[in-house]
Amino acid sequence: MRHRTGAGSGDAFRCVGCRLGVPVVAPGTAHRNHCPSCLASRHVDGRVPGDRASPCGGRMVAVSLSTRPDGEWQLVHQCTACGVLKLNRVAGDDNALALVRLAVRPLADRGLGRRALREL
Ligand SMILES: [Zn+2]
Ligand SMILES: [Zn+2]
């Protein structure tokens, strides 16, 4: 039994992290592939964003932030199933608190910093 809701044309998805119903259309991005609340995503794309070419389907969690030369923020997602890393554009309505938490994570996690120092 499958229940379809609303327009049913694939214009919304259920977040794998927090179960939020997420509309695909978002400000500042052509199509959204991650949750604006908890930033989780699903590993469905292959090499090209939006190609839906990956059979993995694993849960992807935001592990870091990176910036492009033009200053735009990008999320670094890692698949919890296969470990692949992917870069995704930040959407205009992404949870600012979640983004900032991600940005300051290396500062907040003192253990990580100490571990990094030992590696040097
Ligand atoms: Zn979510
Ligand atoms: Zn995967």
Side-chain angles (χ1 to χ4, degrees):
M1 284 287 262
R2 297 195 61 159
H3 295 273
R4 301 205 63 125
T5 52
S9 55
D11 52 3
F13 64 89
R14 183 71 58 185
C15 172
V16 290
C18 67
R19 315 311 294 170
L20 184 73
V22 182
V24 173
V25 183
T29 180
H31 74 254
R32 179 192 342 247
N33 57 10
H34 61 267
C35 173
S37 175
C38 72
L39 310 178
S41 177
R42 267 190 87 192
H43 187 190
V44 290
D45 291 344
R47 297 179 59 167
V48 183
D51 65 4
R52 295 289 185 269
S54 172
C56 177
R59 177 176 160 188
M60 302 196 76
V61 292
V63 291
S64 187
L65 276 172
S66 127
T67 45
R68 298 206 313 195
D70 61 8
E72 185 177 27
W73 283 22
Q74 289 184 305
L75 276 170
V76 182
H77 274 114
Q78 183 167 37
C79 179
T80 56
C82 71
V84 76
L85 288 170
K86 282 189 178 295
L87 283 173
N88 285 297
R89 287 177 68 173
V90 170
D93 60 349
D94 278 352
N95 183 339
L97 187 63
L99 290 174
V100 170
R101 275 213 193 102
L102 213 51
V104 302
R105 185 181 280 176
L107 305 175
D109 187 348
R110 313 231 318 261
L112 197 68
R114 242 177 274 139
R115 267 208 311 280
L117 277 175
R118 268 205 301 271
E119 303 279 316
L120 289 173

